[in-house]
Amino acid sequence: MRVLIVDDERLARAELRRLLAAYPDVEVVGEATHVEQARQQVEALTPDLLLLDIQMPGGTGFDVLEQLDEPPDVIFTTAYDAHAVRAFSVNALDYLLKPIEAERLAESLERVRQRGHAQRASEPSRPTGTPLERVFVRDGERCWLVQLAQVPLISSEGNYSRLHLPGHQPLLLRSLSYLEEKLDPARFFRASRQHLINLDFVETLEPGPGGTLVARLRGGPEVEMSRRQSLRFRERMSL
């Protein structure tokens, strides 16, 4: 398990290194002290796990994650328990309160292993061009990782994109065109300038005005394809 420590306090980083030295399967590949450095280190070192402080110069740990195309697993390290509890109302990540206890760290590392990422440490890096599989999103006080295969619909909002999930519609700081380039083209189809649809969620197709197609997605939403994209869709599906 390749770990990157992100914390602006030298003593905190040193303490984490000391605690992690007890685990033969853990390698500390680097350290960062602020948001921009953390982003650069993640892109350069591709760690499996971030031990990420929340309060840092130049922004927060959440800002780091929002700038990453595909963040690794994250264990937040923070001195503010109330802030952490709010942040993880959706329990997709983990957090440790400072001063970090060895037993609590062991539990968190085991949680990461159980999710299968320890095996990833011994595998080759993912090839360039691999489709984007998940993104980190923040919706008010809630933060979580979204598996993009579970997103039925993505809509454009200027330079940003809205993920349409059951009960949640978080805004992602990426344009729809950017996502179109990064997503798996076998799964996502550009229905119009405003919409990307997940083909796995298409239940029915109906004729629309002017030769267009209207896709009804599982869960209810309907999306009208543009005339040009309707033609492409027909050609692709041999309709």
Side-chain angles (χ1 to χ4, degrees), residues 171-200:
L171 195 64
L172 187 64
L173 306 184
R174 298 285 189 276
S175 71
L176 200 66
S177 295
Y178 175 90
L179 290 178
E180 183 183 12
E181 293 179 358
K182 298 291 184 180
L183 293 173
D184 183 359
R187 170 169 283 143
F188 285 92
F189 180 77
R190 185 70 178 258
S192 67
R193 293 182 62 183
Q194 296 298 316
H195 297 108
L196 272 169
I197 60 174
N198 186 333
L199 297 176
D200 292 341

Side-chain angles (χ1 to χ4, degrees), residues 112-175:
V112 176
R113 292 188 188 94
Q114 290 177 357
R115 291 172 60 173
H117 293 280
Q119 295 180 354
R120 187 178 299 174
S122 61
E123 296 175 350
S125 299
R126 299 177 64 200
T128 302
T130 300
L132 187 63
E133 295 179 351
R134 61 181 186 174
V135 292
F136 176 85
V137 298
R138 177 166 48 173
D139 190 10
E141 296 291 342
R142 310 178 71 179
C143 308
W144 70 101
L145 283 168
V146 173
Q147 297 293 331
L148 289 165
Q150 300 173 359
V151 180
L153 174 65
I154 306 174
S155 61
S156 174
E157 294 199 11
N159 292 325
Y160 302 145
S161 299
R162 179 79 64 184
L163 305 184
H164 293 258
L165 291 158
H168 307 282
Q169 296 189 345
L171 195 64
L172 187 64
L173 306 184
R174 298 285 189 276
S175 71

Side-chain angles (χ1 to χ4, degrees), residues 11 20 75 80 124 135 162 175 189 193 214 231 233:
L11 293 178
L20 292 170
I75 298 174
Y80 305 98
V135 292
R162 179 79 64 184
S175 71
F189 180 77
R193 293 182 62 183
V214 178
L231 178 61
F233 190 86

Side-chain angles (χ1 to χ4, degrees), residues 15-90:
E15 176 63 8
L16 278 172
R17 277 188 176 273
R18 186 186 70 79
L19 292 171
L20 292 170
Y23 300 93
D25 66 329
V26 172
E27 177 190 4
V28 178
V29 296
E31 297 180 0
T33 61
H34 54 79
V35 170
E36 178 58 21
Q37 187 181 36
R39 183 190 63 78
Q40 294 174 356
Q41 291 277 51
V42 170
E43 293 178 352
L45 301 172
T46 60
D48 303 300
L49 173 66
L50 287 183
L51 292 178
L52 183 59
D53 193 12
I54 291 181
Q55 301 295 339
M56 292 182 293
T60 69
F62 304 128
D63 296 320
V64 174
L65 296 178
E66 285 187 318
Q67 294 179 23
L68 299 175
D69 284 344
E70 191 166 5
D73 280 335
V74 176
I75 298 174
F76 276 109
T77 59
T78 176
Y80 305 98
D81 57 344
H83 184 62
V85 170
R86 288 198 303 270
F88 296 99
S89 56
V90 175

